[in-house]
Amino acid sequence: MADVCVGVGFRAAADGADIVAAVLHVLAAANHVSDGALDCLCTLDRKAAEPALLDAASELGVPVRGFAAADLAAVEVANPSDRVQSATGSPSVAEAAAVLGAGGGPLMVTKWSANGVVVAAARKVS
């Protein structure tokens, strides 16, 4: 059952392979590496149509969901960032997007970053 939503924040230099690697890492950390566990990738709405993210979503076989900065900012997260707040208007992208994508479900893995990609995972609520 697809019950994991992964929030993704990324820099312009990141490519689809970087995003896929980060998503697979966070799924492994959540012990959800089986096929079909991933429901969607979630991010800031203005990043949702970026080619790198769309390439990653296509490779992973899931849709991309985008959320407005104000909606992301309303989510209380474990690791808010002043730098992210300054750049996006929300103190979190990955953690907040994962929670919103999961319908308010709990974070399974807090943010983790590598190669210009930040990811977090949340479990969908029924």
Side-chain angles (χ1 to χ4, degrees):
M1 175 180 180
D3 67 345
V4 180
C5 297
V6 174
V8 181
F10 56 99
R11 294 184 181 188
D15 62 21
D18 294 326
I19 294 172
V20 169
V23 169
L24 294 177
H25 174 87
V26 79
L27 289 174
N31 294 315
H32 277 72
V33 292
S34 64
D35 287 341
L38 182 60
D39 181 74
C40 60
L41 300 181
C42 305
T43 194
L44 182 64
D45 57 3
R46 67 179 184 244
K47 300 282 268 185
E50 291 287 328
L53 186 60
L54 294 176
D55 289 347
S58 177
E59 183 172 332
L60 294 165
V62 297
V64 173
R65 296 184 59 200
F67 298 97
D71 294 332
L72 295 172
V75 177
E76 189 171 323
V77 297
N79 299 290
S81 166
D82 291 337
R83 184 174 53 84
V84 173
Q85 170 74 41
S86 176
T88 68
S90 170
S92 170
V93 172
E95 289 179 333
V99 169
L100 289 176
L107 280 176
M108 302 165 62
V109 180
T110 59
K111 74 180 182 180
W112 178 83
S113 65
N115 300 318
V117 180
V118 179
V119 290
R123 181 182 307 281
K124 285 179 64 176
V125 293
S126 303

